[in-house]
């Protein structure tokens, strides 16, 4: 068992700077879990506590069923890839990869064989005798991975490992990392602020904000059933449309009214069970793809058209709200034009204005 | 570098060479004088190049005077001080940069403050301290004394080097299974090497050339370093043995010149890094 468990982890720097608050997190063996959130949300601090580079103020950490809260980083059976790669500049690629083995007292012959295997796996053969500064960003990245892989740790910790690469290489390394994780069959904890990385690579994502865990779920759950306003707004590009208003009743059905729009909710909408009416102050959230232009009960005026090739992002004003939608590329729309549109209300989310919680989430929807 | 016209270039060169000549002349004269026989020193008009070059002064110095003893003393003091300062300063600078503890900043500033005191002020207290501890009149007392004023500068020089080394390197080493000390030796120290070499050179030169402390703290002949020993041996109220003195000066300069020649590249890099990080 090489899962990871964090129990009531709390970390503060000084009196008022709380980095991580009462974090409970369980990561299964062989799972690829991403810690996702904006900068300063506590994700890197969490990873560093897992690595043993930072001591939690309170709480306990288990790796593979063994408590490691007080254990030195080198004895936790983990490997870490740093954002800057942290390759030792005075050592060659081969020496860099061999270093963790050396520190564990692996005999020289065995060490050579293990380094050779890793070098093969990552296709670093021709670079073995080079120094890190003679490598490109992508190559350095692979060496950093190699140094982590070589000693076969129980858990890999990756701190924004792709953020220093250019976009094309990043897409390539993403795919390589996923394959590598499947092949190695290891638990990976991956810190990123890039939702695309988290969505594409993870088995599950833990979204954090201001030191607190916002939601833990599969990429699909995170996207379709965000636990709260923060998660809904953080995940998705372009971001979800929001409008504030109140719950009301239209045609005998619960409906949202605000920003000049009244949107009735269809039968079976998760919000039905939970205080559907009664003037409650709410915020509605609608994904861009759930705003369908062309026909429908609402009218708006196009403000900006952003063609990206295979699709076009359209910003338009409707009532007092600014809405974003995506339409297939090639549809001719111009700024200033009036459009009619409808909303797929069955996919709309309603959030409590007071605490940001998604209505209906408690019922398991 | 800005481009200059040929005239400006010539003026710059002339100026630079003038400065070099002014600086180099005493050194050249020292070497030439040490090779002249005694009678040639005071001839009028003076000769520039030795008419009958001789190494007799060097031979006399090595065979008939305590010069070798002083040389050994100086070497021991300079090497001892350098080792002590480098060990304490690298660890100390690392601590000042990496570890968070109360009073860290204050400590760093106090260290600099001690460097601001003129060394003359500290001689008497240091001497009393040495007597009290029972090491007065020994080579060791000079090692300690030189450490007191080399260390603050060394700490500050190395501090800027250490600060430029990313934390992540050390963290990577810790995760890779190194202890804190191993991470320091395997990863931090090689990165700080130019700084360490600068520090070592600076300390060595300081300990090798120091005169005032050596004069006050040591008055036993067999514990004198070169600086005070040579003066003591070759000058008296009535006579100065110029050619011997010049030969001694040449030999005293050799270790520094050799050290400089090998490490000069690192030294300039080191002093640069003190001001501009990166």
């Amino acid at each position: 068992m090489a899962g990871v468990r964090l129990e009531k982890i709390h970390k503060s720097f000084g009196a008022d700077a709380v980095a991580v608050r009462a974090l409970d997190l369980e990561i299964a063996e062989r799972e690829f879990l991403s810690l996702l959130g904006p900068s300063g949300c506590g994700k890197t601090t969490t990873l560093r506590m897992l690595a043993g580079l930072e001591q939690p103020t309170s709480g306990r950490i288990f790796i593979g069923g063994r408590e490691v809260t007080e254990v030195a980083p080198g004895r936790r059976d983990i490997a870490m890839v740093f954002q800057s790669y942290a390759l030792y500049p005075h050592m060659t690629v081969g020496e860099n990869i061999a270093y963790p083995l050396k520190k564990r007292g692996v005999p020289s012959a065995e060490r050579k064989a293990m380094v050779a295997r890793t070098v093969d796996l990552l296709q670093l053969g021709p670079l073995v005798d080079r120094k890190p500064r003679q490598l490109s960003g992508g190559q350095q990245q692979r060496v950093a991975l190699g140094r982590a892989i070589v000693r076969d740790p129980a858990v890999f910790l990756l701190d924004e490992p792709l953020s220093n690469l250019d976009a094309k290489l990043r897409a390539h390394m993403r795919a390589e990392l996923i394959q590598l994780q499947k092949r190695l069959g290891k638990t990976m904890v991956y810190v990123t602020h890039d939702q695309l990385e988290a969505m594409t690579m993870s088995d599950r994502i833990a979204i954090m904000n201001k030191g607190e865990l916002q939601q833990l779920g599969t990429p699909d759950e995170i996207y379709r059933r965000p636990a709260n306003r923060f998660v809904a707004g953080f995940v998705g590009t372009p971001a979800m449309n929001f409008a504030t208003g109140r719950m009301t009743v239209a045609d005998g059905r619960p409906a949202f009214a605000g920003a000049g729009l009244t949107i009735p909710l269809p039968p079976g909408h998760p919000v039905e069970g939970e205080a559907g009416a009664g003037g409650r102050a709410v915020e509605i959230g609608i994904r861009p793809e759930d705003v369908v232009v062309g026909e429908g009960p609402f009218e708006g005026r196009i403000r900006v058209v952003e063609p990206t090739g295979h699709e076009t992002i359209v910003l338009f004003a409707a009532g007092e709200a600014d809405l974003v939608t995506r339409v297939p590329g090639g549809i001719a729309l111009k700024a200033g034009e009036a459009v009619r549109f409808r909303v797929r209300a069955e996919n709309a989310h309603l959030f409590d204005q007071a605490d940001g919680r998604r209505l209906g989430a408690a019922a398991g929807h | 570098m800005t481009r200059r016209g040929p005239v400006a270039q010539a003026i710059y060169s002339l100026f630079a060479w003038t400065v070099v000549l002014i600086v180099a002349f005493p050194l050249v004269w020292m070497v030439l004088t040490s090779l002249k026989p005694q009678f040639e020193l005071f001839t009028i008009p003076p000769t520039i190049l030795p008419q009958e070059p001789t190494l007799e002064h060097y031979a006399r110095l090595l065979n008939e005077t305590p010069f070798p003893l002083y040389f050994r003393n100086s070497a021991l003091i300079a090497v001892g001080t350098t080792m002590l300062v480098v060990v304490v300063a690298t660890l100390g600078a690392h601590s000042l940069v990496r570890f968070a503890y109360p009073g860290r900043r204050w400590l760093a500033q106090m260290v600099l403050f001690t460097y601001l005191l003129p060394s003359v002020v500290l001689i008497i207290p240091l001497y009393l301290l040495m007597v009290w501890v029972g090491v007065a009149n020994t080579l060791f007392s000079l090692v300690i004394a030189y450490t007191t004023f080399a260390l603050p500068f060394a700490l500050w020089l190395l501090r800027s080097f250490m600060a430029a080394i990313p934390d992540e390197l050390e963290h990577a080493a810790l995760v890779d299974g190194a202890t804190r000390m191993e991470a320091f030796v395997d990863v931090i120290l090689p990165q700080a090497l130019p700084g360490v070499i600068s520090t070592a050179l600076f300390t060595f030169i300081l300990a090798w050339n120091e005169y005032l402390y050596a004069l006050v703290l040591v008055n036993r002949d067999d514990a004198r370093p070169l600086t005070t020993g040579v003066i003591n041996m070759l000058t008296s109220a009535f006579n100065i043995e110029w050619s011997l003195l010049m030969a001694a000066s040449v030999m005293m300069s050799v270790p520094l010149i050799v050290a400089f020649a090998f490490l000069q590249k690192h030294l300039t890099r080191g002093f640069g890094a003190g001001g501009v990080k990166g």
Side-chain angles (χ1 to χ4, degrees):
Chain A
M1 249 305 282
V4 174
R5 194 163 85 243
L6 302 179
E7 266 181 24
K8 294 265 167 305
I9 289 293
H10 194 87
K11 175 71 181 177
S12 47
F13 298 96
D16 351 286
V18 178
V20 177
R21 198 187 300 270
L23 177 65
D24 282 306
L25 192 60
E26 193 153 358
I27 303 162
E29 190 175 6
R30 294 164 180 252
E31 184 171 26
F32 192 120
L33 181 115
S34 290
L35 291 169
L36 175 67
S39 36
C41 74
K43 56 192 192 299
T44 294
T45 307
T46 303
L47 195 77
R48 290 168 53 84
M49 286 193 284
L50 258 177
L53 296 171
E54 207 86 68
Q55 271 297 307
T57 312
S58 64
R60 304 204 294 166
I61 299 170
F62 297 84
I63 292 175
R66 178 173 71 113
E67 177 165 4
V68 295
T69 319
E70 306 279 332
V71 176
R75 300 179 184 280
R76 292 191 176 198
D77 203 10
I78 48 148
M80 187 158 172
V81 177
F82 293 83
Q83 184 169 10
S84 66
Y85 314 140
L87 300 178
Y88 310 126
H90 57 294
M91 299 186 197
T92 64
V93 168
E95 288 164 347
N96 262 284
I97 296 177
Y99 186 75
L101 300 176
K102 214 163 140 188
K103 287 294 126 183
R104 277 173 178 70
V106 177
S108 167
E110 204 177 324
R111 203 157 71 207
K112 270 188 193 137
M114 290 166 86
V115 170
R117 267 205 302 279
T118 306
V119 163
D120 276 352
L121 180 72
L122 295 172
Q123 294 156 14
L124 290 167
L127 310 174
V128 172
D129 293 321
R130 295 216 197 145
K131 292 277 175 68
R133 66 170 173 277
Q134 297 167 299
L135 306 179
S136 69
Q139 290 167 335
Q140 288 185 11
Q141 160 79 79
R142 282 225 288 280
V143 177
L145 273 174
R147 196 174 62 184
I149 290 168
V150 70
R151 69 188 140 100
D152 195 30
V155 177
F156 285 93
L157 307 176
L158 301 102
D159 185 7
E160 310 227 10
L162 305 185
S163 60
N164 288 344
L165 302 179
D166 64 54
K168 200 169 167 188
L169 196 56
R170 204 179 310 164
H172 175 74
M173 284 306 294
R174 242 176 17 225
E176 253 187 51
L177 258 179
I178 297 171
Q179 282 175 9
L180 195 67
Q181 196 253 348
K182 295 284 171 271
R183 186 147 32 138
L184 298 171
K186 295 289 177 182
T187 311
M188 283 198 183
V189 184
Y190 187 100
V191 161
T192 181
H193 65 270
D194 182 334
Q195 47 162 308
L196 184 68
E197 279 174 22
M199 297 296 273
T200 51
M201 297 166 74
S202 318
D203 295 318
R204 284 191 305 163
I205 301 174
I207 297 203
M208 295 184 71
N209 188 34
K210 294 182 181 159
E212 289 182 40
L213 181 64
Q214 303 291 318
Q215 186 172 5
L216 175 64
T218 63
D220 197 59
E221 280 165 3
I222 299 270
Y223 191 76
R224 289 183 202 285
R225 296 200 293 281
N228 57 36
R229 166 74 170 78
F230 174 81
V231 175
F234 189 74
V235 174
T237 315
M240 191 181 269
N241 296 296
F242 290 101
T244 52
R246 292 191 173 275
M247 290 308 294
T248 177
V249 175
D251 305 332
R253 295 226 34 86
F256 166 86
L261 304 169
T262 301
I263 303 171
L265 302 172
H269 190 276
V271 81
E272 270 198 325
E274 190 174 346
R280 185 173 187 168
V282 294
E283 194 164 2
I284 195 167
I286 306 160
R287 293 263 178 230
E289 56 270 31
D290 293 324
V291 175
V292 185
V293 294
E295 58 191 43
F298 307 110
E299 194 179 88
R301 190 162 294 278
I302 296 178
R303 287 152 61 105
V304 181
V305 178
E306 295 175 344
T308 66
H310 80 288
E311 67 174 17
T312 302
I313 310 295
V314 183
L315 284 78
F316 62 96
E320 292 138 39
D322 283 324
L323 298 176
V324 179
T325 184
R326 54 203 337 164
V327 299
I331 293 182
L333 291 169
K334 272 207 234 30
E337 271 180 7
V339 281
R340 296 206 71 79
F341 71 97
R342 67 188 171 87
V343 169
R344 292 199 189 104
E346 66 275 19
N347 293 338
H349 305 294
L350 287 154
F351 303 96
D352 191 301
Q353 264 189 39
D355 59 11
R357 205 168 43 83
R358 181 167 66 88
L359 302 183
H365 295 286
Chain B
M1 279 290 279
T2 49
R3 264 173 191 285
R4 300 192 197 107
V7 178
Q9 185 83 42
I11 292 172
Y12 274 112
S13 298
L14 192 69
F15 179 75
W17 278 107
T18 311
V19 172
V20 168
L21 282 178
I22 291 172
V23 171
F25 178 75
L27 297 174
V28 174
W29 197 248
M30 172 179 88
V31 175
L32 294 177
T33 307
S34 73
L35 297 172
K36 291 174 188 170
Q38 187 82 21
F39 64 82
E40 201 184 317
L41 290 187
F42 299 105
T43 51
I44 292 175
T47 56
I48 298 208
L49 292 175
Q51 302 303 304
E52 293 171 45
T54 171
L55 290 171
E56 60 172 311
H57 309 304
Y58 290 91
R60 262 186 71 200
L61 208 54
L62 293 173
N63 298 323
E64 297 168 26
T65 70
F67 183 86
L69 173 70
Y70 298 148
F71 195 95
R72 187 207 67 154
N73 288 347
S74 267
L76 285 176
I77 292 169
V79 170
T81 309
T82 304
M83 278 163 50
L84 186 62
V85 166
V86 164
V87 169
V88 175
T90 46
L91 290 170
H94 185 244
S95 147
L96 285 175
V97 169
R98 284 291 183 269
F99 298 139
Y101 45 85
R104 179 172 67 150
R105 194 175 291 256
W106 181 83
L107 189 69
Q109 275 158 5
M110 284 312 288
V111 164
L112 192 65
F113 183 71
T114 63
Y115 189 63
L116 300 178
L117 290 175
S119 50
V120 185
V121 175
L122 297 172
I123 290 187
I124 302 303
L126 258 174
Y127 181 68
L128 293 176
L129 192 69
M130 299 299 176
V131 171
W132 185 64
V133 176
V135 294
N137 263 326
T138 60
L139 297 181
F140 184 66
S141 70
L142 287 181
V143 170
I144 296 293
Y146 296 163
T147 301
T148 60
F149 56 87
L151 195 55
F153 179 80
L155 267 173
W156 273 76
L157 182 63
L158 279 168
R159 209 176 90 121
S160 66
F161 271 92
M162 297 281 183
I165 300 170
D167 290 4
E168 289 198 338
L169 281 183
E170 192 183 357
H171 293 155
L174 290 177
V175 172
D176 282 346
T179 62
R180 272 203 175 274
M181 202 60 206
E182 284 174 330
F184 180 74
V185 173
D186 292 348
V187 175
I188 302 294
L189 223 43
Q191 296 311 304
L193 196 62
V196 172
I197 290 173
S198 306
T199 307
L201 256 179
F202 164 80
T203 311
F204 188 88
I205 293 167
L206 186 140
W208 187 264
N209 286 339
E210 209 286 331
Y211 181 77
L212 190 58
Y213 277 48
L215 190 67
V216 176
L217 295 184
V218 172
N219 43 40
R220 225 178 61 213
D221 203 40
D222 62 349
R224 280 189 215 282
L226 278 171
T227 46
T228 53
V230 167
I231 294 291
N232 207 43
M233 157 180 95
L234 299 177
T235 64
S236 65
F238 309 107
N239 184 29
I240 298 176
E241 301 220 38
W242 284 110
S243 19
L244 275 183
L245 193 58
M246 289 303 115
S249 303
V250 171
M251 282 199 275
M252 282 171 72
S253 313
V254 167
L256 294 188
I257 291 168
V258 170
F260 249 92
F262 279 105
L263 300 173
Q264 180 242 52
K265 194 175 63 183
H266 296 287
L267 189 68
T268 45
R269 260 173 82 191
F271 285 158
V276 191
K277 260 191 272 177

